[in-house]
Amino acid sequence: MLNFEFQNPTKIIFGKDQISKLSSEIPENAKVLMVYGGGSIKKNGVYDQVSQALKDHDVTEFGGVPANPEYAVLLEALEIIKTKDIDFILAVGGGSVIDGVKFLSGAATYEGDEPWDILAKGIRTYQGMPFGTVLTLPATGSEMNSGSVITRKETKEKRVMGGPGLFPQFSILDPQVVHSIPKRQIANGLVDSFSHVIEQYMTYPVAARLQDRIAESVMQTLIEVAPKVMEDPSDYDAASDFMWSCTMALNGLLRVGTPNDWSTHMMAHELTALYGIDHARTLAIIHPSQLRYKLDDKKEKLAQYAERVWGVSEGSLEEKAEAGIRKTEDYFHSLEMETKLSDYTDKYEKTAAIVKERFEERNWKGLGEKQNITPDDAKKIVEMSY
């Protein structure tokens, strides 16, 4: 097991009708900016619950954060924070809204002139503006980690940011919200969280037995509940397992003491930036090709995954590893998710070259758990994904 330090300060408030506890989690005298997305919270009852819980607080609302949190939109919210002396931010939404709030948290305390530098220059946030979340869409795990991904439409970029100052102070997780989520978004959440586990688990063995078992249990749970929650989102037990698995997939617990990959995410981000494809679907496009391309590096963990998660008991190490990739692809397909870029756009032919160029511009010379995925390798992986 590798050396590690681990701290996660986020308080989780999980279960039915827990949104009412908001009033006791946010300071009474706080000036709150409530941030949300396209307005679905006004249809599913969450908005009313939040409003009732904060009826005695000074609240300013900001809606309209898009599915890929857009830099220009967030700058409008940042201006409100400054002009109204906001000192607490509340994200009410899924990962995109929460990621957007993390950017606002970091940008509100950033002393530079250009907030985009936080992302472009990889500036970590050590003390951001305090914020909490009410999760409405399980998927990204952003409700219990300190990472964020922001899109800039004008330059077709999707960049990451983070730092120990970007953990939510609290996150309220009520599985009842799942009942109103469209089937497509549930599928996205299942794939997104599954992919998060793959990035931390599908590397090479380092005798981190407990982390392996936890990762495998998260994947097994997602596989088990997927058909239930897809068929009946109002199944509270299935929704609970789904929601908590998404959180556990990326709250830091799986990554400690283990090598991590994350190269698939870096490639997939470019597909979203270029074509607007749902994040989870870009992961489903890249993962099978990336795993096949790096089979020699990953075959031990792939075979272990095939055995423990999918019950593959026959074949050589390589054959089991290949079976693990096929099972993963089949799982994505079972969620009505296509796994080729050409299924989403007919303008894919130059994509690999663009990805290579962008990786070179950012000096990303060695991604992956062994830092051996070069821009040329990324180009080949994306081409395999056509």
Side-chain angles (χ1 to χ4, degrees):
M1 192 183 303
L2 307 179
N3 295 353
F4 68 86
E5 295 181 8
F6 178 64
Q7 182 178 8
N8 191 317
T10 301
K11 177 180 180 180
I12 297 294
I13 304 169
F14 188 100
K16 292 181 179 180
D17 305 323
Q18 296 300 291
I19 293 175
S20 61
K21 293 186 177 179
L22 265 177
S23 58
S24 60
E25 297 298 326
I26 299 177
E28 291 182 7
N29 60 348
K31 290 186 177 181
V32 182
L33 181 65
M34 173 182 165
V35 181
Y36 54 91
S40 62
I41 63 169
K42 293 184 177 180
K43 299 176 183 178
N44 61 17
V46 172
Y47 176 86
D48 291 338
Q49 293 179 63
V50 172
S51 298
Q52 177 61 28
L54 297 182
K55 66 182 188 300
D56 295 326
H57 283 72
D58 182 349
V59 179
T60 300
E61 295 182 19
F62 183 87
V65 176
N68 293 294
E70 164 59 35
Y71 179 66
V73 174
L74 295 172
L75 288 183
E76 296 175 20
L78 183 61
E79 184 62 23
I80 293 173
I81 288 173
K82 293 178 178 179
T83 58
K84 293 205 170 187
D85 295 324
I86 299 295
D87 52 21
F88 194 97
I89 316 171
L90 179 66
V92 184
S96 293
V97 172
I98 298 172
D99 278 12
V101 164
K102 287 178 182 177
F103 168 77
L104 294 174
S105 171
T109 58
Y110 178 59
E111 297 181 353
D113 296 326
E114 176 52 69
W116 183 252
D117 286 344
I118 298 172
L119 296 116
K121 297 181 179 180
I123 298 171
R124 290 173 64 76
T125 300
Y126 291 92
Q127 185 169 357
M129 179 171 287
F131 69 98
T133 89
V134 176
L135 181 66
T136 64
L137 178 62
T140 68
S142 192
E143 66 275 5
M144 200 180 178
N145 64 45
S146 61
S148 174
V149 185
I150 304 299
T151 297
R152 192 169 188 176
K153 189 175 182 179
E154 62 179 309
T155 57
K156 293 188 175 181
E157 291 181 88
K158 189 171 182 179
R159 304 295 292 266
V160 300
M161 62 179 289
L166 294 179
F167 282 99
Q169 289 196 346
F170 64 86
S171 287
I172 296 178
L173 282 60
D174 184 345
Q176 293 177 114
V177 303
V178 174
H179 83 276
S180 64
I181 300 174
K183 190 175 182 180
R184 178 186 178 91
Q185 295 303 325
I186 291 176
N188 282 351
L190 289 162
V191 170
D192 197 1
S193 52
F194 201 88
S195 174
H196 290 157
V197 182
I198 290 176
E199 294 277 35
Q200 299 165 92
Y201 170 91
M202 212 77 75
T203 55
Y204 56 86
V206 291
R209 294 174 179 83
L210 180 59
Q211 292 91 318
D212 279 359
R213 294 292 188 187
I214 297 172
E216 290 155 5
S217 71
V218 173
M219 289 188 284
Q220 287 173 317
T221 303
L222 287 168
I223 292 166
E224 182 178 342
V225 303
K228 299 177 183 179
V229 75
M230 288 281 282
E231 180 180 349
D232 182 11
S234 63
D235 181 334
Y236 182 80
D237 291 337
S240 296
D241 283 329
F242 168 43
M243 180 173 271
W244 188 228
S245 293
C246 291
T247 303
M248 286 293 292
L250 199 58
N251 64 1
L253 193 60
L254 304 185
R255 68 170 175 79
V256 297
T258 67
N260 281 210
D261 187 341
W262 298 109
S263 62
T264 289
H265 269 68
M266 296 302 100
M267 288 178 267
H269 285 167
E270 301 305 322
L271 304 188
T272 298
L274 290 168
Y275 307 115
I277 305 169
D278 297 4
H279 173 59
R281 290 163 198 268
T282 64
L283 296 171
I285 291 167
I286 297 294
H287 260 311
S289 297
Q290 194 262 14
L291 294 174
R292 289 191 173 100
Y293 188 82
K294 301 304 294 184
L295 182 64
D296 284 345
D297 287 346
K298 298 176 179 290
K299 58 187 178 184
E300 287 84 3
K301 290 301 286 289
L302 271 166
Q304 176 179 300
Y305 159 75
E307 291 174 350
R308 294 184 181 179
V309 175
W310 294 107
V312 176
S313 58
E314 297 181 355
S316 65
L317 183 72
E318 289 76 10
E319 289 169 338
K320 289 179 180 178
E322 287 277 7
I325 299 172
R326 290 196 302 273
K327 291 286 189 180
T328 304
E329 212 163 19
D330 290 344
Y331 175 60
F332 295 160
H333 291 159
S334 76
L335 300 172
E336 302 176 11
M337 193 165 293
E338 302 297 336
T339 54
K340 291 295 182 182
L341 182 57
S342 55
D343 293 319
Y344 297 88
T345 178
D346 57 3
K347 300 177 181 179
Y348 59 84
E349 291 183 356
K350 296 181 180 179
T351 306
I354 295 172
V355 171
K356 176 187 175 183
E357 181 181 353
R358 289 188 169 187
F359 280 25
E360 289 173 339
E361 289 172 352
R362 297 167 190 165
N363 202 32
W364 291 355
K365 296 181 178 179
L367 298 181
E369 67 270 23
K370 293 185 177 180
Q371 294 81 54
N372 62 358
I373 295 180
T374 67
D376 279 325
D377 293 319
K379 180 176 183 288
K380 293 174 183 176
I381 292 168
V382 174
E383 286 174 337
M384 289 171 63
S385 305
Y386 286 172

